[in-house]
C-alpha cells in the first residue's frame, strides 16, 4: 500500500481497543461489549469519542438528538459538507468493531489529513449517530432519521424493558425530546455521505480481500405474526380436532425460507414464542418475528404478498385467527455510482485489490441516502461474525479500510 497521506494505524488500533473496553467486563471478556443506546455505557462511549475528536483537532458539537459531530472546517466554510461516520452504540453482547470502526476510522482519517497539512475546500464532519442498533427501544437509526427529517414523534413514547420511555432516556442524557426537529439538515448543506463498516458477512473473507465497495443495501421489513388457536389437552384432543397455533408457526417458518429462496432475497424467523408453553398442552397462541430483505423493492413486495397468502391458507386449514403487525419497513437503496467509483479509484492508487458487493445489514447510510448521495466501504469480518463477542477484524484490515476512506474523503472534499 502506497499512501500519500498516511494514517497512523497504531493510533487507530489503540482507540478501537480503548473504546472496546467501555461496556465490557474485564473479568468476562466472553460476554463482549454492551452499550445500549443512551445507557451509561453508551454515554461514556460518546464522551470517549468526543475526547478523541478534540485530540484530533476537530470542532465538536452534539446536535439535538445526541449525534456527536466532529468537524474539520474546509477552506470554503460555506461549501456543502462531506459527512462520514457510523455509530458507537451496540447490541447486547456485541463486539468491538461494528460501528466503532466507522467512527474511529473516520476520526483517524481526518486527523491524518490535518497532520499532513493538506487543505480541502469542503468541510468534513465525522458523525457518531445516536441509536443505530435499535436494541433498547426496538427501533433504530434515530440519529440519522432525525438528520434527514423522518423521525416520527411517537418514537419518544417507546419504552425499554425497564419501562423507561425514549423521552425519559433523552432527558437523562441532557437532551430535550421536544427539540428533535432541530437536528434536521438540508440537502444544500451536505455534499455526500460515506460510511466504513465491517462487512458482517463472509463474502470478503471468501475472496481473501480486505475491503469491498458496496453497490446496494437490502431494505428490511419486520413483521410480527400472532396465531390464535385453542390450548386443549394434548392427550384428550384427537389430531383432527386441534387448533394448534404452534404448528401454524412451524409451517410459516418454512414458508419464509421458501419465499426468500424463490425471490433471491433473505428471510429469517429469529424470535418465537408459544403459549401457554406446557409439555401436555396444545399451543393456543404463537408469536413469531419475520425479517425479510431484498435489494429490489418489487421482489421484496412479492415476498410479503406470498407470505400473506400463506398465512391465510394456514389459518383456514387449521381453523385459527391471526394478527399481522408491520414493525419496520425500510426501503432498499443503491449506493452512489460516483462515490463507488471514487472508492475503487482509491483502492487502485493504494494497490489494494477490491470487489463490489451487496450489503445485507441496515446502516445509517440507508437513511442518509434520503438526504445526499451515499457510499460504503466494507472491511473484512473474521468468519463473518458480528453482533457477537467474537466479532473481529484484523488490525491490517482496519488500517487498509481507513486508508481507503482517507483517500476517498480527499477526493470528495478537495
Ligand atoms: Zn453497525
Amino acid at each position: 500500500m502506497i499512501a500519500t497521506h498516511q494514517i497512523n494505524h497504531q493510533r487507530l488500533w489503540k482507540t478501537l481497543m480503548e473504546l472496546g473496553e467501555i461496556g465490557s467486563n474485564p473479568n468476562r471478556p466472553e460476554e463482549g461489549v454492551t452499550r445500549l443506546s443512551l445507557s451509561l455505557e453508551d454515554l461514556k462511549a460518546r464522551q470517549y469519542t468526543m475526547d478523541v475528536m478534540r485530540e484530533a483537532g476537530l470542532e465538536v458539537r452534539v446536535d439535538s438528538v445526541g449525534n456527536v459531530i466532529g468537524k474539520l472546517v474546509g477552506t470554503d466554510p460555506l461549501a456543502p459538507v462531506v459527512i462520514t461516520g457510523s455509530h458507537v452504540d451496540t447490541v447486547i453482547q456485541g463486539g468491538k468493531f461494528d460501528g466503532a470502526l466507522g467512527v474511529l476510522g473516520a476520526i483517524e482519517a481526518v486527523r491524518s489529513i490535518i497532520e499532513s497539512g493538506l487543505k480541502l475546500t469542503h468541510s468534513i464532519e465525522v458523525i457518531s449517530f445516536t441509536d443505530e442498533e435499535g436494541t433498547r427501544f426496538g427501533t433504530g437509526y434515530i440519529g440519522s432519521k432525525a438528520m434527514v427529517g423522518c423521525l416520527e414523534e411517537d418514537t419518544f413514547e417507546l419504552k425499554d424493558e425497564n419501562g423507561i420511555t425514549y423521552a425519559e432516556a433523552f432527558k437523562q442524557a441532557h437532551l430535550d425530546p421536544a427539540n428533535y426537529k432541530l437536528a434536521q439538515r438540508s440537502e444544500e448543506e451536505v455534499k455526500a455521505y460515506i460510511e466504513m463498516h465491517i462487512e458482517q458477512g463472509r463474502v470478503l473473507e471468501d475472496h481473501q480481500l480486505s475491503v469491498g465497495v458496496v453497490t446496494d443495501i437490502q431494505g428490511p421489513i419486520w413483521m410480527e405474526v400472532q396465531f390464535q388457536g385453542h390450548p386443549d389437552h394434548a392427550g384428550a384432543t384427537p389430531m383432527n380436532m386441534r387448533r394448534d397455533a404452534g404448528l401454524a408457526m412451524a409451517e410459516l417458518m418454512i414458508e419464509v425460507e421458501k419465499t426468500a429462496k424463490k425471490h433471491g432475497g433473505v428471510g429469517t424467523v429469529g424470535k418465537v414464542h408459544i403459549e401457554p408453553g406446557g409439555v401436555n398442552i396444545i399451543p393456543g397462541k404463537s408469536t413469531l418475528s419475520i425479517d425479510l430483505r431484498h435489494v429490489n423493492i418489487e421482489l421484496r413486495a412479492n415476498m410479503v404478498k406470498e407470505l400473506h397468502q400463506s398465512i391465510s391458507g394456514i389459518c383456514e386449514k387449521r381453523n385459527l385467527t391471526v394478527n399481522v403487525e408491520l414493525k419496520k419497513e425500510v426501503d432498499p437503496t443503491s449506493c452512489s455510482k460516483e462515490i463507488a467509483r471514487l472508492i475503487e479509484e482509491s483502492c487502485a492508487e493504494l494497490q489494494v485489490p477490491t470487489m463490489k458487493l451487496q450489503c445485507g445489514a441496515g446502516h445509517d447510510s440507508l437513511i442518509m441516502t434520503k438526504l445526499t448521495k451515499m457510499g460504503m466501504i466494507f472491511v473484512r469480518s473474521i468468519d463473518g461474525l458480528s453482533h457477537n463477542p467474537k466479532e473481529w477484524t484484523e488490525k491490517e484490515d482496519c488500517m487498509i479500510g481507513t486508508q481507503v476512506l482517507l483517500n476517498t474523503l480527499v477526493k470528495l472534499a478537495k
Side-chain angles (χ1 to χ4, degrees):
M1 192 168 67
I2 318 145
T4 328
H5 314 285
Q6 186 92 45
I7 66 139
N8 181 334
H9 65 273
Q10 258 128 357
R11 187 167 62 191
L12 169 66
W13 190 253
K14 183 172 167 274
T15 56
L16 279 165
M17 292 304 110
E18 282 175 354
L19 179 61
E21 280 167 22
I22 303 173
S24 77
N25 181 341
N27 300 320
R28 293 176 183 272
E30 70 280 6
E31 289 178 0
V33 183
T34 303
R35 293 192 299 259
L36 298 189
S37 179
L38 302 181
S39 65
L40 216 60
E41 293 75 22
D42 183 39
L43 296 179
K44 275 189 204 160
R46 294 151 158 280
Q47 187 54 54
Y48 177 82
T49 305
M50 286 190 263
D51 292 345
V52 180
M53 283 176 168
R54 287 203 183 93
E55 236 180 87
L58 303 179
E59 281 178 16
V60 180
R61 72 182 176 96
V62 177
D63 74 9
S64 69
V65 293
N67 292 317
V68 173
I69 304 173
K71 186 172 184 177
L72 166 63
V73 181
T75 55
D76 180 358
L78 297 177
V81 300
V82 173
I83 300 179
T84 178
S86 197
H87 60 97
V88 299
D89 68 311
T90 72
V91 296
I92 296 167
Q93 301 201 348
K96 288 186 166 81
F97 299 89
D98 180 350
L101 178 62
V103 174
L104 296 172
I107 300 173
E108 177 54 42
V110 177
R111 187 172 189 175
S112 303
I113 291 172
I114 297 172
E115 286 172 351
S116 75
L118 182 70
K119 296 284 177 235
L120 297 167
T121 311
H122 297 263
S123 301
I124 300 177
E125 287 183 11
V126 178
I127 302 188
S128 176
F129 289 100
T130 297
D131 198 349
E132 191 270 346
E133 296 288 5
T135 309
R136 183 171 171 193
F137 295 96
T139 185
Y141 316 126
I142 301 305
S144 47
K145 276 184 176 169
M147 197 166 279
V148 309
C150 73
L151 183 65
E152 281 157 8
E153 199 165 355
D154 56 12
T155 305
F156 292 100
E157 292 161 25
L158 295 171
K159 286 182 181 162
D160 71 4
E161 58 173 35
N162 297 315
I164 297 171
T165 64
Y166 221 131
E168 284 161 352
F170 250 58
K171 285 174 194 155
Q172 282 166 8
H174 306 291
L175 297 165
D176 185 350
N179 286 342
Y180 76 94
K181 284 187 179 156
L182 297 177
Q184 189 175 348
R185 310 282 290 265
S186 72
E187 284 176 29
E188 296 74 46
E189 59 179 307
V190 183
K191 188 185 178 203
Y193 176 72
I194 179 164
E195 179 165 350
M196 169 171 60
H197 202 281
I198 57 164
E199 185 204 340
Q200 305 177 274
R202 274 188 284 268
V203 177
L204 290 173
E205 193 173 61
D206 274 1
H207 288 80
Q208 295 179 312
L209 292 170
S210 300
V211 292
V213 184
V214 179
T215 53
D216 303 275
I217 305 182
Q218 293 174 350
I221 276 193
W222 285 4
M223 298 194 289
E224 189 179 90
V225 182
Q226 197 166 77
F227 289 109
Q228 185 76 53
H230 204 270
D232 293 305
H233 192 283
T237 318
M239 296 310 281
N240 61 357
M241 287 177 70
R242 296 177 176 221
R243 295 175 61 205
D244 189 330
L247 285 174
M249 182 180 87
E251 243 183 288
L252 183 56
M253 285 170 79
I254 300 295
E255 290 302 320
V256 170
E257 184 191 28
K258 269 192 209 159
T259 187
K261 279 187 172 167
K262 177 175 159 194
H263 293 288
V266 286
T268 306
V269 176
K271 226 169 130 179
V272 296
H273 187 68
I274 281 179
E275 289 170 63
V279 178
N280 56 357
I281 310 168
I282 296 163
K285 193 168 151 186
S286 64
T287 311
L288 68 156
S289 65
I290 301 178
D291 174 317
L292 296 173
R293 295 169 198 235
H294 207 295
V295 292
N296 181 306
I297 196 162
E298 279 106 46
L299 291 177
R300 191 184 68 175
N302 289 344
M303 286 163 69
V304 174
K305 200 171 124 199
E306 284 181 15
L307 282 181
H308 275 289
Q309 285 162 355
S310 302
I311 291 167
S312 305
I314 292 167
C315 285
E316 207 171 309
K317 187 170 78 181
R318 298 189 177 276
N319 192 18
L320 307 172
T321 58
V322 71
N323 183 44
V324 183
E325 206 182 319
L326 183 68
K327 291 284 198 180
K328 170 159 145 178
E329 182 171 11
V330 183
D331 291 347
T333 191
S334 292
C335 295
S336 148
K337 289 196 169 62
E338 184 196 336
I339 300 181
R341 185 176 49 77
L342 294 179
I343 300 169
E344 283 181 309
E345 276 176 29
S346 300
C347 289
E349 66 201 20
L350 294 164
Q351 298 180 358
V352 170
T354 189
M355 67 178 290
K356 289 182 173 142
L357 75 171
Q358 284 183 358
C359 168
H363 297 289
D364 289 307
S365 49
L366 197 60
I367 308 295
M368 288 298 281
T369 191
K370 294 181 206 290
L371 185 68
T372 187
K373 60 189 178 194
M374 173 277 292
M376 280 197 90
I377 300 167
F378 263 178
V379 182
R380 172 164 51 186
S381 309
I382 301 280
D383 221 9
L385 283 176
S386 85
H387 290 188
N388 185 308
K390 292 206 177 96
E391 171 187 297
W392 195 257
T393 290
E394 295 292 0
K395 195 173 179 177
E396 194 185 344
D397 288 344
C398 292
M399 171 183 83
I400 294 171
T402 302
Q403 190 65 54
V404 171
L405 176 66
L406 182 152
N407 284 40
T408 313
L409 283 172
V410 170
K411 291 180 206 307
L412 283 167
K414 70 178 180 206

